[in-house]
Amino acid sequence: MRKTRILVVDDEHLIRWSLEQNLKKQGYEVFTAGNGEDALRLVREEQPELVLLDIQLPGIGGLEVLEKVKEFDDEIVVIMLTAHGGLETAVNTMRMGAYDYINKPFNLDELSIVIKKALETSDLRREVVQLRSEHKKLGPPKIIGTSKHMKNVLDMMGKVAKSEASTVLIQGESGTGKELVAKWIHYQSSRAEKPFVAINCAAVPATLLESELFGHEKGAFTDAKTAKKGLFELADGGTVFLDEIGDMEMGMQAKLLRFLEDRTFRRIGGAKVISVDVRIISATNKELLKAIEEKSFRNDLYYRLQVIPIFLPALRERRDDIIQLANFFMESFGREFNKSVKSISSMAEKMLIDYSWPGNIRELKNVIERAIILGTEDTLLIENLPLEIIAKSSASTVPVSTFKLPPEGVDIEEVEKELIRQSLEITDWNQSKAAKKLNLGIDAFRYRMKKFGFLK
């Protein structure tokens, strides 16, 4: 894997040497230049990911080098080094595309943090561009389901996507596909070319959530070495998905409510009022009305969020969609793992439909993935399903309930032999089809054929 390349441009040899040694120890590949001409040549030849650029250079000045670097490749991150710091200098360099600027003399540890943050931001920006490009090619995510429940949901989703509704609340049990619905709405809307940004409110500590959403200014708190844009600012023009909003701390709920009133905010430690245009899609698996009664969720925020409510049914409430979903996942994982699984046995279908699916679509997806990985047949059989599905399915008792043991008893070996014979006869001795009739894998079926003398 290629190391991250950094170009150091400064006319002072000691600074170039010091930075080169320090950055190499951190694992970067480092190039140096003492003037603007050499810097531009190395940018073309080595194509670094980041440039540390002194403003005061002999010949071509630092600002002109910055301009030409950005013309060559706007994705190159440039951090300016200056012994003549000031607001005007900062504004000029940032306006021209610099990521940040550092005053001389600088602290190497502080510079290291700035470089790391800059590269992380650059990687994130490239990832966003790539994801947008992929989504543009693939279109919105596919929503599977033709049941009455899902037809109603899809109809509501279509109306929301075409509307200018600024807040949407998706409610449903864990695993029902709330984020998928949020993405579908975004990519079917006029905001599709803008960012879709998601955050799980339950996964981020309350002390950090405000910074994640609103951002912070440099020096706003101990670890705020650089200014940081929050998700609302990064997603301007697009959609912010607030997952598990029912777990948001009460103090943060008040700040979110204030933002929702006019879509304006201040970064932590900042005085400037920032205005953005974002659609807020929230989701929760909690009963928010109950949370309001328990004083853990704000009544006013609830009614502000649920301008457009969407309720996702549990999988057990849309059993007509189970096999359609299973087939979709089977085809998807078949491609991923290079397996050719073309169908689901009738008994396995009955068990999938009969199971209660407490984990909803997420659980079904995991079950099918496991079955594809472990299965060896071109049909998904009951032996590929987890024991809890077989044990909790009433379908597993159907064959037993239709058989009556005669008073004189039977020879179990003869019963098994007869079942093998009958399955072969009704399928014209097609072993694969006969095995499916008994919900056996082809290897297990052939073993029994040899055992009873049907196969030499």
Side-chain angles (χ1 to χ4, degrees), residues 23-91:
L23 293 171
K24 281 184 175 179
K25 286 180 182 178
Q26 295 180 50
Y28 300 113
E29 186 175 355
V30 185
F31 306 92
T32 64
N35 57 62
E37 290 83 355
D38 287 346
L40 292 174
R41 175 179 57 79
L42 285 169
V43 165
R44 289 190 298 270
E45 292 176 359
E46 305 298 342
Q47 299 184 17
E49 281 78 23
L50 185 141
V51 177
L52 293 174
L53 177 60
D54 188 20
I55 288 181
Q56 299 296 324
L57 292 174
I60 302 176
L63 293 180
E64 188 177 348
V65 173
L66 169 62
E67 185 177 16
K68 290 184 181 298
V69 167
K70 285 297 177 179
E71 285 177 2
F72 174 75
D73 184 355
D74 190 49
E75 293 297 316
I76 295 176
V77 179
V78 181
I79 297 174
M80 305 301 293
L81 306 175
T82 175
H84 308 281
L87 182 60
E88 186 178 351
T89 302
V91 170

Side-chain angles (χ1 to χ4, degrees), residues 61-124:
L63 293 180
E64 188 177 348
V65 173
L66 169 62
E67 185 177 16
K68 290 184 181 298
V69 167
K70 285 297 177 179
E71 285 177 2
F72 174 75
D73 184 355
D74 190 49
E75 293 297 316
I76 295 176
V77 179
V78 181
I79 297 174
M80 305 301 293
L81 306 175
T82 175
H84 308 281
L87 182 60
E88 186 178 351
T89 302
V91 170
N92 284 338
T93 58
M94 303 292 265
R95 186 184 293 130
M96 294 172 65
Y99 173 82
D100 203 349
Y101 79 104
I102 299 291
N103 288 321
K104 295 180 180 178
F106 45 78
N107 180 285
L108 287 174
D109 291 336
E110 183 178 344
L111 179 61
S112 175
I113 292 170
V114 174
I115 289 172
K116 186 177 179 182
K117 289 284 186 185
L119 290 170
E120 286 176 354
T121 301
S122 178
D123 289 343
L124 182 61

Side-chain angles (χ1 to χ4, degrees), residues 189-432:
S189 74
S190 59
R191 299 175 181 268
E193 296 298 318
K194 296 294 184 177
F196 175 91
V197 181
I199 186 169
N200 187 319
C201 299
V204 181
T207 52
L208 296 180
L209 187 57
E210 183 179 2
S211 174
E212 288 297 312
L213 294 178
F214 298 117
H216 61 254
E217 296 294 350
K218 184 176 181 179
F221 45 85
T222 305
D223 294 326
K225 302 297 183 183
T226 62
K228 174 188 173 182
K229 291 183 178 181
L231 297 186
F232 290 144
E233 204 170 341
L234 291 170
D236 190 18
T239 302
V240 174
F241 177 60
L242 302 176
D243 198 10
E244 305 301 351
I245 196 164
D247 293 291
M248 184 179 283
E249 181 263 335
M250 290 291 280
M252 191 62 222
Q253 289 179 33
K255 293 171 183 176
L256 176 61
L257 178 63
R258 195 179 308 122
F259 166 75
L260 292 175
E261 294 302 326
D262 56 8
R263 295 301 196 275
T264 62
F265 63 95
R266 291 182 178 88
R267 293 180 188 170
I268 298 175
K272 179 184 175 184
V273 176
I274 300 170
S275 178
V276 294
D277 170 28
V278 291
R279 170 180 273 166
I280 304 297
I281 302 182
S282 305
T284 182
N285 58 14
K286 289 190 172 182
E287 295 183 26
L288 291 185
L289 290 176
K290 185 177 179 182
I292 291 170
E293 290 178 7
E294 295 171 350
K295 308 296 184 184
S296 63
F297 201 82
R298 292 179 63 105
N299 184 63
D300 46 5
L301 178 60
Y302 171 72
Y303 289 108
R304 190 69 187 83
L305 289 173
Q306 70 126 28
V307 174
I308 303 289
I310 296 177
F311 296 90
L312 291 186
L315 189 54
R316 61 184 173 276
E317 295 170 359
R318 43 181 293 213
R319 295 187 187 276
D320 291 349
D321 295 330
I322 290 175
I323 300 306
Q324 190 178 356
L325 282 161
N327 281 320
F328 173 78
F329 293 136
M330 194 168 66
E331 183 181 344
S332 175
F333 287 122
R335 287 195 302 269
E336 182 177 345
F337 301 119
N338 197 26
K339 295 283 191 76
S340 179
V341 184
K342 299 173 182 175
S343 62
I344 304 173
S345 73
S346 58
M347 187 60 68
E349 280 193 1
K350 288 177 184 177
M351 290 187 175
L352 291 174
I353 293 170
D354 191 59
Y355 183 58
S356 61
W357 297 108
N360 292 294
I361 299 172
R362 186 183 294 123
E363 183 182 7
L364 173 61
K365 182 179 180 182
N366 291 340
V367 165
I368 299 300
E369 181 179 11
R370 172 187 180 277
I372 296 299
I373 292 171
L374 300 180
T376 58
E377 312 293 335
D378 61 359
T379 299
L380 193 150
L381 306 166
I382 59 170
E383 62 197 63
N384 303 132
L385 300 178
L387 290 176
E388 63 267 21
I389 292 181
I390 297 171
K392 293 179 181 179
S393 172
S394 62
S396 62
T397 65
V398 172
V400 177
S401 63
T402 57
F403 175 77
K404 299 297 182 183
L405 184 68
E408 65 275 14
V410 295
D411 183 335
I412 192 68
E413 292 280 313
E414 287 300 318
V415 172
E416 189 176 10
K417 179 179 180 180
E418 180 61 16
L419 289 172
I420 297 293
R421 185 190 65 77
Q422 287 187 32
S423 66
L424 286 167
E425 282 189 356
I426 63 176
T427 58
D428 292 326
W429 285 73
N430 183 309
Q431 295 177 23
S432 179

Side-chain angles (χ1 to χ4, degrees), residues 168-203:
V168 181
L169 178 61
I170 305 173
Q171 297 178 77
E173 293 180 9
S174 180
T176 50
K178 296 185 287 293
E179 183 168 355
L180 198 69
V181 168
K183 286 181 178 178
W184 190 96
I185 290 171
H186 172 76
Y187 289 108
Q188 286 283 38
S189 74
S190 59
R191 299 175 181 268
E193 296 298 318
K194 296 294 184 177
F196 175 91
V197 181
I199 186 169
N200 187 319
C201 299

